[in-house]
Amino acid sequence: MRGRNDGGQSKRPIVLLCVMVVCLCLLFLYFSGSNQAGSAALEYGTKFSRSLGWGNSDGDDDGSEESIFGSGDADDVKLKSFPVCDDRHSELIPCLDRNLIYQMRLKLDLNLMEHYERHCPPPERRFNCLIPPPHGYKVPIKWPRSRDVVWKANIPHTHLAHEKSDQNWMIDAGEKIKFPGGGTHFHHGADKYIANIANMLNFKDNNINNEGMLRSVLDVGCGVASFGGYLLSSNVIAMSLAPNDVHQNQIQFALERGIPAYLGVLGTKRLPYPSRSFELAHCSRCRIDWLQRDGILLLELDRLLRPGGYFAYSSPEAYAQDEEDRRIWKEMSSLVDRMCWKIAEKKNQTVIWVKPLNNDCYKSRAPGTNPPLCKRGDDPDSVWGVPMEACITPYPEQMHRDGGSGLAPWPARLTTPPPRLADLYVTADTFEKDTEMWQQRVDKYWSLLKPKIKPDTIRNIMDMKANFGSFAAALKEKDVWVMNVVQHDGPSTLKIIYDRGLIGSTHDWCEAFSTYPRTYDLLHAWTVFSDLDKKGCSAEDLLLEMDRILRPTGFIIVRDKGSVIEFIKKYLNALQWEASSFVVAESSPELEENEMIFIIRKKLWQPGGTPDPE
């Protein structure tokens, strides 16, 4: 009897081991099958790049200085395909993904809006798949019609049409969504509201551009950006800003309409724009608590406004008579007075404050007055991931003496060397030569694109390495707008871009950009991949990011060295891109070898279907 018992005990571990092996096999088959089915066709990390040595991986660095682009030999590995992400990721914004916040259990202060700020996935959690368009996606309606109407299939969300039905934000019109131009504060149209602001400021002919002196606007809490959309006809360009909040798709609608916009929030970090960039900041019922944390959010607007810049504020606090609104108005009036802002005009439901032209008022404040001036060592143009400070940014000595920004009126501003070039030790001659060079380059680009496009094919453009903004300046005769991107760790040329009357953002191309998928018609990448090589970031991740933000049938212009072009060619089939043009460019002082121009077009495809040749 004892022997039989011992034998039974000795068999139990074997039986348990067999059961475990069977369970593991079943789990493997289940997950393999689900990946092949496509419902979970997403993978974390950049497996291809790590396995082939093209991307960086913590702990795998052998100290080699070899380029991630290799020799460009034809015998190198050629990728066949990427998996397609699940349909629920068709609007994925990797660094503004609330699911990621929950999964990583980030400790964020909701009162400070930290959950609406950028939180990027680590390399091992990045999606290694193609973002699919929504079912029924169509090539977007062209500008200027797109300002007023878009395809519903492209952004299949109508909750704002119902939630804001009494405010004329947007109207559900069958297969289309229409935008009558209304807003929370301007139900009867942004055009009339804009003219009213110009009238309050005594601008000639009620034209908001003030004879070219008001060009750049920051619209905070912009909704679907009708305010910014209607400014364009006055030669005024707005950076329309809103978070990915309960009005989730407002910035997506703005970009689909062809209106400049950016996903961002006044939270704890500085906005990604340099100091003294805007002539006007605007907030219409934006529901921001301007008094919190010693007025830190209002002080961020102060950092961004030019000398003599305006803040137009339309809100109940400006006119309501109940006790709480009167309390807020009293405290806000005290705050802006200590910031040396003065009321330019207050009428009906809108108040407009104006910022001083020089430092005299700041110097005359009583000692210990709050908010204090920022410390002498503070760089107001350092913005990438930099916390806001509850302090006033004084003007540099030269700007103080000049009593203003010294900028020419628009459109002369576009090509006139701005005073802040001196901050970068750049001469007017260098600036003018850069402008001329990029005009020639852009003319070449358009000659290559001409067989493929019509005059209205391209509207939303991103220059991924904008330098002084001369690429965008060369497009002045085209009916387009350009998001000029400047690397966060390079020279602070973004202030020169704003001084030219253009717009843009600071960014790090090792991370995803703060925009929805399918929002740009053309991406221009001048030596962006060569720069990425020096940083050791994944070129494959950047290709996937470019595919994410590019509209189907959109174009990419890569201007870089030959090994970069050969590297990208290996990915064309995997990304469902097609080569359009390939030519040798003129030599570049930045590169040891000649630059190549490679023009690519993204195909229009649907999950499970074939690419649409049109």
Side-chain angles (χ1 to χ4, degrees):
M1 180 68 70
R2 181 178 300 159
R4 284 195 295 271
N5 285 342
D6 290 344
Q9 289 176 355
S10 66
K11 291 178 182 177
R12 286 174 188 165
I14 297 174
V15 173
L16 289 172
L17 181 62
C18 291
V19 171
M20 290 175 66
V21 169
V22 171
C23 290
L24 287 171
C25 289
L26 289 172
L27 285 170
F28 174 79
L29 290 172
Y30 173 78
F31 285 111
S32 297
S34 63
N35 279 338
Q36 292 172 1
S39 62
L42 53 93
E43 302 174 12
Y44 289 110
T46 50
K47 296 178 183 176
F48 286 117
S49 59
R50 286 201 295 271
S51 64
L52 299 175
W54 293 336
N56 73 325
S57 178
D58 294 341
D60 294 338
D61 187 7
D62 60 0
S64 172
E65 296 297 325
E66 184 177 352
S67 168
I68 61 174
F69 303 114
S71 63
D73 293 340
D75 294 335
D76 286 350
V77 176
K78 196 168 190 175
L79 299 181
K80 293 183 179 179
S81 65
F82 283 110
V84 176
C85 298
D86 192 283
D87 287 351
R88 58 202 166 92
H89 299 295
S90 70
E91 295 174 354
L92 177 71
I93 310 164
C95 294
L96 295 170
D97 181 8
R98 283 196 288 273
N99 290 325
L100 177 72
I101 292 174
Y102 300 142
Q103 291 165 10
M104 297 184 67
R105 299 181 181 180
L106 301 180
K107 306 291 186 183
L108 304 176
D109 191 327
L110 304 188
N111 293 322
L112 302 184
M113 301 295 174
E114 286 184 311
H115 55 307
Y116 293 140
E117 294 183 319
R118 289 174 57 85
H119 303 282
C120 296
E124 69 274 9
R125 296 187 71 91
R126 293 175 184 169
F127 288 90
N128 191 37
C129 52
L130 299 178
I131 304 294
H135 292 285
Y137 181 89
K138 299 181 181 182
V139 174
I141 293 170
K142 306 304 182 186
W143 182 268
R145 283 188 60 228
S146 62
R147 188 194 71 173
D148 302 324
V149 61
V150 302
W151 296 116
K152 187 198 297 184
N154 293 6
I155 310 178
H157 302 284
T158 59
H159 60 281
L160 283 177
H162 304 296
E163 181 183 340
K164 304 290 185 179
S165 60
D166 61 330
Q167 299 169 10
N168 284 325
W169 278 37
M170 49 191 273
I171 297 171
D172 185 350
E175 64 177 8
K176 297 177 181 177
I177 293 176
K178 295 183 178 180
F179 300 88
T184 303
H185 192 75
F186 41 92
H187 304 177
H188 302 296
D191 51 349
K192 298 180 181 63
Y193 176 67
I194 291 167
N196 182 61
I197 291 176
N199 178 265
M200 291 174 66
L201 293 171
N202 295 315
F203 289 170
K204 185 178 179 180
D205 299 326
N206 292 339
N207 192 329
I208 193 68
N209 73 21
N210 191 25
E211 301 181 84
M213 295 309 297
L214 194 155
R215 166 64 180 172
S216 305
V217 173
L218 177 65
D219 187 16
V220 180
C222 65
V224 293
S226 289
F227 181 78
Y230 279 80
L231 284 171
L232 291 167
S233 61
S234 298
N235 282 323
V236 174
I237 190 165
M239 178 65 80
S240 297
L241 181 79
N244 183 24
D245 60 7
V246 292
H247 300 146
Q248 286 181 20
N249 303 90
Q250 50 193 343
I251 292 296
Q252 190 178 17
F253 279 120
L255 291 163
E256 183 74 9
R257 298 172 70 186
I259 300 170
Y262 184 85
L263 275 165
V265 68
L266 284 164
T268 66
K269 303 289 198 312
R270 284 177 171 175
L271 294 176
Y273 318 125
S275 64
R276 300 175 282 276
S277 294
F278 301 96
E279 279 90 22
L280 171 69
H282 172 255
C283 160
S284 171
R285 303 281 188 96
C286 54
R287 298 192 298 181
I288 293 174
D289 179 6
W290 297 108
L291 297 173
Q292 63 172 286
R293 292 175 284 158
D294 301 317
I296 194 169
L297 305 184
L298 206 58
L299 289 161
E300 173 66 357
L301 288 192
D302 183 81
R303 181 185 71 85
L304 295 171
L305 282 174
R306 299 195 195 277
Y310 301 101
F311 177 41
Y313 182 55
S314 298
S315 183
E317 294 86 41
Y319 64 88
Q321 296 300 312
D322 63 84
E323 184 176 345
E324 178 63 10
D325 286 326
R326 285 200 301 269
R327 180 193 66 79
I328 295 173
W329 173 254
K330 182 179 179 181
E331 292 185 22
M332 198 166 176
S333 297
S334 173
L335 172 62
V336 297
D337 184 62
R338 286 178 274 119
M339 290 168 56
C340 293
W341 289 10
K342 304 298 180 186
I343 291 180
E345 184 62 85
K346 184 172 181 286
K347 185 178 179 182
N348 297 330
Q349 302 178 7
T350 301
V351 60
I352 303 175
W353 285 286
V354 61
K355 185 179 174 180
L357 287 167
N358 54 42
N359 292 330
D360 288 348
C361 176
Y362 305 143
K363 295 177 179 179
S364 66
R365 299 188 312 163
T369 300
N370 284 319
L373 296 182
C374 296
K375 295 178 181 177
R376 187 175 295 275
D378 177 71
D379 180 1
D381 299 326
S382 177
V383 297
W384 188 249
V386 175
M388 293 181 190
E389 294 285 345
C391 59
I392 297 171
T393 304
Y395 301 123
E397 195 57 37
Q398 184 62 51
M399 194 172 283
H400 164 68
R401 287 196 298 267
D402 293 343
S405 60
L407 299 176
W410 179 266
R413 182 179 298 188
L414 186 64
T415 53
T416 302
R420 288 201 283 184
L421 279 175
D423 296 354
L424 305 173
Y425 304 100
V426 175
T427 66
D429 183 60
T430 299
F431 174 84
E432 289 164 354
K433 286 180 177 177
D434 185 76
T435 300
E436 181 181 349
M437 177 185 70
W438 278 105
Q439 185 64 63
Q440 295 171 359
R441 290 181 173 185
V442 168
D443 289 344
K444 177 67 173 179
Y445 292 160
W446 247 251
S447 70
L448 296 171
L449 285 168
K450 194 171 182 180
K452 295 281 187 178
I453 64 172
K454 298 177 182 178
D456 63 356
T457 299
I458 294 172
R459 172 62 184 172
N460 301 353
I461 299 178
M462 176 184 287
D463 189 1
M464 298 174 66
K465 182 185 175 182
N467 199 25
F468 297 126
S470 294
F471 168 85
L475 293 166
K476 59 184 178 297
E477 302 300 328
K478 311 289 184 186
D479 208 358
V480 301
W481 69 272
V482 180
M483 177 67 77
N484 293 280
V485 180
V486 171
Q487 273 283 0
H488 73 103
D489 55 356
S492 55
T493 58
L494 190 57
K495 59 187 174 186
I496 306 303
I497 290 168
Y498 273 93
D499 286 354
R500 301 183 77 166
L502 304 169
I503 62 169
S505 174
T506 303
H507 187 60
D508 178 1
W509 282 117
C510 294
E511 301 175 358
F513 195 76
S514 293
T515 193
Y516 282 89
R518 303 171 299 279
T519 47
Y520 287 90
D521 300 300
L522 172 65
L523 306 178
H524 177 240
W526 170 51
T527 67
V528 173
F529 286 90
S530 290
D531 292 345
L532 204 71
D533 191 6
K534 299 169 188 174
K535 293 184 175 185
C537 298
S538 169
E540 181 187 286
D541 282 354
L542 179 57
L543 287 170
L544 286 166
E545 173 63 4
M546 292 168 73
D547 181 78
R548 184 186 74 87
I549 66 180
L550 185 66
R551 286 173 167 172
T553 73
F555 292 89
I556 300 172
I557 301 175
V558 179
R559 187 187 192 98
D560 217 315
K561 56 190 179 183
S563 55
V564 170
I565 305 303
E566 293 304 314
F567 172 85
I568 294 173
K569 283 182 177 179
K570 299 178 179 69
Y571 283 82
L572 292 181
N573 289 335
L575 293 162
Q576 302 201 41
W577 295 354
E578 60 183 1
S580 178
S581 299
F582 176 61
V583 298
V584 178
E586 72 279 2
S587 61
S588 169
E590 288 204 0
L591 296 175
E592 296 179 359
E593 56 184 286
N594 284 351
E595 290 179 340
M596 307 287 183
I597 301 172
F598 188 33
I599 299 182
I600 303 159
R601 192 169 199 182
K602 179 178 176 178
K603 300 174 182 177
L604 173 57
W605 55 272
Q606 290 284 348
T610 56
D612 187 333
E614 298 301 322

